[in-house]
Each structure stands twice: as C-alpha cells, then as structure tokens.
C-alpha cells in the first residue's frame, strides 16, 4: 500500500512543475496500490478548483485515479 496526500495529487496536475515530472515518475514506478483518504481527495479537488483548474482539471484527476 502506498499512501499519498493532497499535495501529491495537486502536483500531478501542475503544468510546468518540476514536481509533476518527479511525481509522475514515482507514480509509474510504484507497484503497490495508491491509497488515499476521503479528506485527502476532497482537499485535492478543492485546491485544484481554487487554483483555476475548474471542473475540467478535477475530472482529469478522477480519471487518473480510476485508471
């Protein structure tokens, strides 16, 4: 099991972020299931929306997590 927090999820969608590249690489390398809590997911969706991502970016995160 791999625990993640909301900053990890938000960074995955960050455009031009150096963290996005590192976190994407880590996500692909981890062979264990990604585990998060509902509060973590709620915070990530809230932060994405508030930073100008809107519903479109939230949908991308949800699709990423469901795959």
């Amino acid at each position: 099991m791999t625990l993640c927090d909301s900053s990890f999820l938000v960074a995955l969608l960050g455009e031009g972020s150096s963290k996005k590249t590192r976190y994407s690489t880590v996500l692909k390398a981890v062979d264990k299931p990604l585990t998060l809590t509902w509060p973590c997911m709620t915070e990530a969706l809230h932060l994405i929306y508030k930073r100008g991502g809107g519903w479109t970016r939230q949908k991308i995160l949800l699709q990423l997590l469901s795959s």
Side-chain angles (χ1 to χ4, degrees):
M1 169 179 13
T2 303
L3 292 173
C4 77
D5 67 351
S6 56
S7 63
F8 179 84
L9 299 175
V10 172
L12 283 174
L13 296 181
E15 302 207 8
S17 169
S18 62
K19 287 183 180 180
K20 177 184 178 180
T21 305
R22 284 186 283 165
Y23 288 179
S24 295
T25 304
V26 168
L27 186 60
K28 290 175 188 172
V30 173
D31 61 347
K32 302 201 185 312
L34 186 64
T35 304
L36 54 112
T37 63
W38 280 109
C40 169
M41 182 66 161
T42 302
E43 182 181 25
L45 290 171
H46 173 74
L47 290 172
I48 289 167
Y49 187 84
K50 290 290 277 186
R51 292 182 180 181
W55 298 107
T56 305
R57 301 295 279 179
Q58 288 177 331
K59 183 177 178 182
I60 291 170
L61 176 61
L62 293 172
Q63 289 172 339
L64 175 69
L65 293 174
S66 67
S67 61

